[in-house]
Amino acid sequence: MSTVSPFHSQRSTQKRIHFLAITAMLSAIAFILQYLEFPLPFMPGFIKLDFSDMPALLGTFSLGPACGIAIEILKNVLHSAVSQSFGIGEISNALLGAVFVGVAGIVYQRHKTRAGAFRASLLGALAMALFSFPCNLYLVYPIYYHFMAKDVIIAAYQMIVPSVTSIEHCLLLFNVPFTFLKGVMDVVITMLIYKKISPILHGRAK
């Protein structure tokens, strides 16, 4: 009968504690960044930019995609307490963010280099952007329709580009490119700061 050595058990416990501590810390940072959202002149007012996916991407690269997905879920649970979107925005943000960091994390695990991280995160951003179309069309916006008529939503897009005539057109012209751009901005910031804070994330800080 095999037994687990006390040293191995202690090390496993330390790894779990480190995982939970880093996940909690990055979730808190992501919540703050999500709270500091701001509108853009080329998007309807109910769509805002934030950089809250960046901590989740950091967690993904340091501790794996499970950490990144957990951060996406936790930050949105926290944000739902102060949000006025009736939880709809948080559901969308969590789903899109999970796709972003999940794809990035899975690809990165096969190519653990700086270039691999960059390619993986760009693929994650692209996957998030593509997923945003069916997610918004079939899940998020149908829920919004209970609080805001479809014509009113389309009218908000038409204030920017009068020629749009359908939700599908709006999503393809606005939401998909915006989601990809948002992801790319998170990628750039992550690439700039990851090396400096990597020792902390991996528990090697002096």
Side-chain angles (χ1 to χ4, degrees):
M1 180 181 296
S2 62
T3 59
V4 178
S5 69
F7 176 77
H8 178 77
S9 178
Q10 182 181 10
R11 191 171 181 182
S12 297
T13 300
Q14 290 175 342
K15 289 180 68 175
R16 286 196 296 269
I17 292 173
H18 176 72
F19 180 93
L20 292 173
I22 294 299
T23 300
M25 179 188 72
L26 291 176
S27 296
I29 295 173
F31 163 69
I32 295 171
L33 292 176
Q34 190 175 17
Y35 187 72
L36 300 175
E37 58 187 7
F38 53 91
L40 295 173
F42 54 85
M43 294 295 292
F46 56 85
I47 299 176
K48 296 180 175 64
L49 176 68
D50 66 73
F51 298 102
S52 63
D53 289 326
M54 183 265 295
L57 197 57
L58 290 170
T60 295
F61 288 150
S62 59
L63 298 176
C67 176
I69 292 173
I71 292 168
E72 292 288 354
I73 294 172
L74 286 172
K75 72 165 185 179
N76 280 290
V77 170
L78 293 172
H79 193 262
S80 64
V82 297
S83 171
Q84 297 180 345
S85 69
F86 305 99
I88 306 170
E90 287 70 37
I91 292 173
S92 174
N93 190 280
L95 290 173
L96 295 179
V99 170
F100 181 23
V101 300
V103 171
I106 291 171
V107 176
Y108 175 65
Q109 286 182 333
R110 300 176 182 177
H111 307 281
K112 288 192 174 183
T113 63
R114 183 176 178 84
F118 184 68
R119 288 194 297 268
S121 51
L122 285 182
L123 285 173
L126 179 60
M128 175 174 65
L130 294 176
F131 178 70
S132 72
F133 180 77
C135 181
N136 282 314
L137 182 62
Y138 298 114
L139 176 63
V140 177
Y141 276 54
I143 299 176
Y144 268 130
Y145 299 154
H146 294 287
F147 306 96
M148 186 184 301
K150 182 187 290 189
D151 291 344
V152 175
I153 294 176
I154 295 176
Y157 286 99
Q158 289 175 331
M159 292 180 65
I160 305 168
V161 178
S163 60
V164 295
T165 57
S166 67
I167 289 296
E168 291 84 352
H169 195 185
C170 294
L171 295 177
L172 287 173
L173 186 62
F174 289 92
N175 294 55
V176 172
F178 168 78
T179 303
F180 180 67
L181 176 63
K182 179 177 180 290
V184 169
M185 294 174 70
D186 286 317
V187 170
V188 171
I189 296 173
T190 299
M191 292 296 102
L192 290 174
I193 69 174
Y194 181 72
K195 186 176 181 179
K196 296 180 180 179
I197 65 174
S198 178
I200 298 174
L201 298 177
H202 286 95
R204 298 195 297 264
K206 295 181 180 181

